[in-house]
Amino acid sequence: MGHENVTEFILLGLFTDENAKLACFVLFLLCYIAILSGNLLILLTIRGSRLSEQPMYFFLSYLSLMDICFTSTVAPKLITDLLAQQKTISYNSCMAQMFYAHFFGATEIFILVAMAYDRYAAICRPLHYMVIMNRQVCYVLVMVSAMGAFSHSVTQVLIITGLPFCGPNQIDHYFCDVFPLLKLACTDTRLWVIAIITTTGVLSILTFVALVISYIIILATLRTCSSEGRRKAFSTCGSHITVVFMFFLPLIFTYVPTADSVRNDKVFALFYTMIAPMFNPLIYTLRNTDMKNAMRKVWGRNKHSVGK
């Protein structure tokens, strides 16, 4: 099988309105710059301070790295295509984009699960916390996240590369993803659609439910804490829950089909490709005194060393 006649695809992009394109070019370019600078700021602050010794921040630095990588697989093409006349992408680039988007996205999901486990250990098992979440465990969790994401992404790519593409090559989306590509295949793909919905869709829902339940258990445990400890933990868990909702709800809507699925898919995809990665740094830093103090130390120190 494979791609018989199709050597490139045309991405139809977010919308066809010419007037909106320039405004969106500027808007998305600013969003992308904000995503890169915000997440780099978090990454470098954690790596440059004592925060990296704490598991929560260890995971947060990887979450920021995944945000940068994930958005970078989609945003540059989305932004340049807004001004381009011909929005083509070669077959191989399309497969690569799909692989990396799924790889970084899935790794991010697994890291969010690791972060929930970390908060559970910290709040529900405080006496054993340093043993449960030692540095080795943290590295193993990140490695397992990457391996799980790799197997997920390879599966998606193998499904698509096994299909024949012989005619239509217009992808109704702004990046290469499984569902828009399945619509173009010259064969009946209904079974594949069902298979992907049952695997990715059900996994997304189960992970989301597991995360929400774990945070409910954590918040229930907090009732017994002192008011100061409770306030701090509420603030941290509040940030985590916000990010989980922003990332998962659009994802679930994408992989669990509704009547007008594709029309909405592009809008939902904007949430987890652009909007969530942009707000993650804000959500994690604005409500976090440790992070703010570390930023003052790291960047204040740099200023002094430059001034000398």
Side-chain angles (χ1 to χ4, degrees):
M1 280 204 179
H3 55 118
E4 266 102 88
N5 299 346
V6 174
T7 54
E8 62 177 21
F9 293 105
I10 296 165
L11 290 161
L12 294 181
L14 256 178
F15 34 58
T16 45
D17 183 11
E18 288 299 324
N19 302 330
K21 282 183 181 173
L22 188 61
C24 283
F25 172 79
V26 176
L27 179 68
F28 290 143
L29 186 61
L30 291 173
C31 286
Y32 186 48
I33 292 165
I35 290 165
L36 292 183
S37 46
N39 284 295
L40 269 173
L41 183 66
I42 285 193
L43 190 60
L44 297 173
T45 302
I46 293 172
R47 292 290 158 92
S49 68
R50 300 287 304 272
L51 285 182
S52 58
E53 293 163 16
Q54 298 176 37
M56 183 171 93
Y57 295 103
F58 172 84
F59 290 127
L60 184 53
S61 69
Y62 278 99
L63 192 74
S64 287
L65 181 63
M66 286 309 112
D67 269 337
I68 292 169
C69 297
F70 180 51
T71 307
S72 295
T73 58
V74 176
K77 182 91 180 121
L78 162 65
I79 292 163
T80 51
D81 276 357
L82 282 166
L83 296 188
Q85 289 303 309
Q86 198 62 358
K87 306 175 181 61
T88 56
I89 184 168
S90 74
Y91 181 87
N92 290 344
S93 302
C94 191
M95 294 304 115
Q97 190 185 45
M98 185 171 74
F99 173 82
Y100 286 117
H102 277 267
F103 175 69
F104 294 127
T107 307
E108 184 160 339
I109 286 172
F110 292 134
I111 288 173
L112 285 170
V113 174
M115 287 172 85
Y117 177 64
D118 167 67
R119 289 300 83 206
Y120 169 79
I123 292 166
C124 303
R125 310 283 301 280
L127 300 177
H128 306 110
Y129 178 61
M130 293 319 289
V131 180
I132 297 173
M133 295 303 291
N134 61 44
R135 190 36 50 110
Q136 215 172 349
V137 171
C138 292
Y139 277 117
V140 166
L141 285 170
V142 170
M143 285 303 296
V144 168
S145 299
M147 280 153 58
F150 181 80
S151 56
H152 161 77
S153 310
V154 167
T155 313
Q156 307 288 320
V157 172
L158 286 176
I159 289 172
I160 297 297
T161 47
L163 296 171
F165 291 93
C166 54
N169 68 341
Q170 293 195 329
I171 299 175
D172 187 15
H173 212 306
Y174 58 87
F175 69 100
C176 290
D177 202 9
V178 181
F179 285 144
L181 282 167
L182 282 173
K183 286 191 168 63
L184 300 182
C186 300
T187 180
D188 186 9
T189 56
R190 274 176 303 189
L191 278 175
W192 282 123
V193 171
I194 293 164
I196 289 167
I197 288 166
T198 47
T199 53
T200 313
V202 170
L203 271 175
S204 302
I205 291 171
L206 287 178
T207 313
F208 177 65
V209 169
L211 284 171
V212 170
I213 289 171
S214 68
Y215 282 116
I216 289 170
I217 293 168
I218 290 167
L219 295 174
T221 311
L222 284 176
R223 291 210 311 258
T224 57
C225 295
S226 67
S227 60
E228 179 52 37
R230 190 187 308 166
R231 201 182 55 74
K232 199 172 174 186
F234 261 126
S235 174
T236 308
C237 290
S239 313
H240 289 210
I241 293 164
T242 313
V243 170
V244 164
F245 271 90
M246 277 181 71
F247 197 83
F248 271 92
L249 289 181
L251 191 72
I252 288 167
F253 283 121
T254 304
Y255 281 97
V256 179
T258 50
D260 188 16
S261 223
V262 165
R263 199 46 49 242
N264 299 330
D265 276 1
K266 294 195 262 192
V267 181
F268 290 137
L270 260 189
F271 263 92
Y272 57 83
T273 54
M274 295 288 279
I275 296 166
M278 188 169 62
F279 281 102
N280 279 3
L282 287 174
I283 291 165
Y284 282 116
T285 47
L286 289 180
R287 303 180 56 175
N288 190 321
T289 24
D290 293 344
M291 196 75 194
K292 282 186 227 169
N293 294 339
M295 276 182 181
R296 280 190 207 105
K297 269 191 198 137
V298 172
W299 304 103
R301 190 174 61 217
N302 288 359
K303 261 193 294 206
H304 296 318
S305 59
V306 170
K308 277 176 190 168

